[in-house]
Amino acid sequence: PLFPELPLDGAALRERYRDIPLVLMSGYVDIDERIPESMVPRPVILEKPVNAQTFHQAIARAVSSASVG
């Protein structure tokens, strides 16, 4: 892995880095159901494949929600 010290699941990332916007990308259709309701703020979830415009919009949403919350 590029960063072996980082946990690979969203819940662990959210717990460790609460103030950083989180964008998850997955090939699973039901990924949103797998994210615990207790994960606040909720990550922005993208389903693969993702085009550049969708990715850009997701980053903007994540940053915007992080600066509000």
Side-chain angles (χ1 to χ4, degrees), residues 52-65:
Q53 181 180 2
T54 301
F55 183 72
H56 181 266
Q57 290 170 343
I59 298 298
R61 250 188 353 261
V63 171
S64 174
S65 68

Side-chain angles (χ1 to χ4, degrees), residues 10-28:
L13 283 170
R14 173 56 67 219
E15 183 65 31
R16 189 168 180 185
Y17 303 102
R18 290 187 179 274
D19 297 332
I20 297 175
L22 185 59
V23 176
L24 300 177
M25 228 182 298
S26 175
Y28 294 103

Side-chain angles (χ1 to χ4, degrees), residues 33-66:
E33 297 171 8
R34 298 176 185 213
I35 304 296
E37 290 298 320
S38 60
M39 187 184 289
V40 176
R42 301 286 292 165
V44 174
I45 300 171
L46 298 173
E47 185 180 330
K48 292 178 187 176
V50 178
N51 64 42
Q53 181 180 2
T54 301
F55 183 72
H56 181 266
Q57 290 170 343
I59 298 298
R61 250 188 353 261
V63 171
S64 174
S65 68

